[in-house]
Amino acid sequence: KVKAGLAQMAKGGIIMDVTTPEEARVAEEAGACAVMALERVPADIRRQGGVARMTDPKKIKEIMAAVTIPVMAKCRIGHFAEAQILESLGVDMVDESEVLTPADEEHHVDKHTFKVPFVCGARDLGEALRRISEGAAMIRTKGDAGTGDVVEAVRHARTINRQIRTAQSLDPTELYRYAKELQVPYDLLQRTAQLGRLPVVNFAAGGLATPADVSLLLQLGVDGVFVGSGIFKSSDPPKRARAMAQAVTHYKDPKILAELSENIGDAMFGTPVNQQKRSAHGEASSSGSG
Ligand code: PLP
């Protein structure tokens, strides 16, 4: 399908979050296949709080003018008016993103009504196939954006893989029941089982911070990666951006990954996801790595 064009092109690539034209040029020079134009990277959204909305169109236009690679931008979940505005600006893809504050707790954007392709986040196969049935041309794991902790991205990638294997093991009668359990259209689940993968391009996102993180997720079978805070919250963004872009190409070669991991400054400091969960449950979180 024409709409999936950019997603197909991005396959085997890395998409980087940027907040200025200068960062966009760093990303392009490092070998990013696209950039995501943002007001704040997820780590700052988490830290500063407040309602996170679509980026100022002026900033998006400046970033579009600064690079030759495709430019994506985020709308809030269910905020079809933000999506319409982003489409009118001529962005290459819209990310209907949980990183921003959701605008609708029950409905996602009907993505079939747009010409611009959409990418959506998913934690499991049910979410992924619901987003695809709504018209998403690309899926990414939700992970836990802004933490620098890869654990949730790994959980989501493994969950989707496991549920696809489950679907493949079922006979047609059982597959109807599984479609009901996942709350997804039967035909879409059947096609996914036949393909042995999601029927659209599937990237990892949320917490990736090192070349090794890139390799881990690609070895778990994703088609490419989004890196948000991991690059521009590190101590040497140009070096890290190049190393992580190279890691996408060489993800199967530990020797090259060792070289890429060397002397690239400090990774973003980050917040372990499990420490946050303990804090959220009122338990002590001062023990560090526990
Ligand atoms: N993810 C987020 C962040 C949401 O706010 C919502 C609410 O609708 C969902 C997922 C729901 O997704 P689904 O309808 O696929 O369960």
Side-chain angles (χ1 to χ4, degrees):
K1 274 187 264 171
V2 179
K3 252 174 85 165
L6 173 59
Q8 285 298 335
M9 222 183 77
K11 221 169 166 170
I14 181 167
I15 300 168
M16 300 181 190
D17 282 0
V18 299
T19 61
T20 64
E22 293 70 36
E23 289 181 357
R25 279 190 286 268
V26 168
E28 177 166 33
E29 278 161 28
C33 67
V35 291
M36 180 77 69
L38 279 177
E39 203 90 48
R40 302 181 279 173
V41 292
D44 289 331
I45 294 174
R46 294 180 81 90
R47 197 164 48 80
Q48 296 164 358
V51 175
R53 308 180 178 90
M54 172 185 83
T55 300
D56 183 335
K58 182 164 184 280
K59 174 163 273 178
I60 295 171
K61 286 192 276 186
E62 285 169 358
I63 289 169
M64 287 170 69
V67 293
T68 61
I69 54 177
V71 176
M72 306 183 178
K74 290 183 191 286
C75 73
R76 283 177 267 176
I77 287 176
H79 207 315
F80 54 84
E82 284 187 350
Q84 289 162 353
I85 291 167
L86 294 175
E87 179 170 67
S88 82
L89 293 175
V91 302
D92 296 283
M93 187 178 271
V94 174
D95 183 358
E96 185 182 16
S97 180
E98 69 287 350
V99 168
L100 305 182
T101 309
D104 190 322
E105 293 191 332
E106 287 169 27
H107 311 95
H108 279 68
V109 172
D110 174 7
K111 292 161 278 285
H112 292 294
T113 64
F114 289 79
K115 287 200 181 69
V116 67
F118 280 73
V119 57
C120 288
R123 284 170 291 221
D124 55 40
L125 185 58
E127 278 192 343
L129 296 186
R130 285 194 291 278
R131 300 295 84 79
I132 294 167
S133 77
E134 293 159 3
M138 180 174 180
I139 293 295
R140 55 172 174 72
T141 61
K142 285 188 173 177
D144 204 350
T147 58
D149 187 347
V150 79
V151 69
E152 294 299 317
V154 169
R155 189 192 320 281
H156 302 159
R158 281 195 182 276
T159 300
I160 290 171
N161 288 347
R162 189 173 58 246
Q163 291 175 317
I164 291 173
R165 284 197 305 273
T166 298
Q168 287 179 301
S169 73
L170 302 177
D171 71 23
T173 310
E174 294 165 335
L175 200 63
Y176 281 107
R177 193 206 55 82
Y178 198 44
K180 194 166 72 176
E181 180 187 321
L182 293 181
Q183 298 182 269
V184 299
Y186 173 80
D187 294 352
L188 200 47
L189 182 61
Q190 187 188 40
R191 190 145 58 91
T192 301
Q194 278 165 359
L195 292 169
R197 56 156 295 145
L198 289 181
V200 302
V201 171
N202 179 32
F203 272 38
L208 282 71
T210 68
D213 289 346
V214 171
S215 173
L216 176 62
L217 270 301
L218 285 164
Q219 290 191 60
L220 287 173
V222 299
D223 299 313
V225 297
F226 284 88
V227 182
S229 319
I231 289 168
F232 291 101
K233 286 290 168 190
S234 73
S235 69
D236 191 340
K239 262 193 187 170
R240 187 161 294 265
R242 273 194 301 275
M244 290 182 74
Q246 287 294 307
V248 176
T249 307
H250 301 289
Y251 75 94
K252 283 182 177 165
D253 190 330
K255 282 205 172 69
I256 296 179
L257 291 163
E259 288 164 24
L260 293 173
S261 305
E262 199 173 301
N263 196 27
I264 52 173
D266 297 329
M268 72 176 283
F269 185 69
T271 318
V273 168
N274 285 319
Q275 192 172 311
Q276 291 172 50
K277 281 183 186 162
R278 282 203 297 274
S279 309
H281 288 95
E283 296 166 41
S285 61
S286 57
S287 56
S289 60

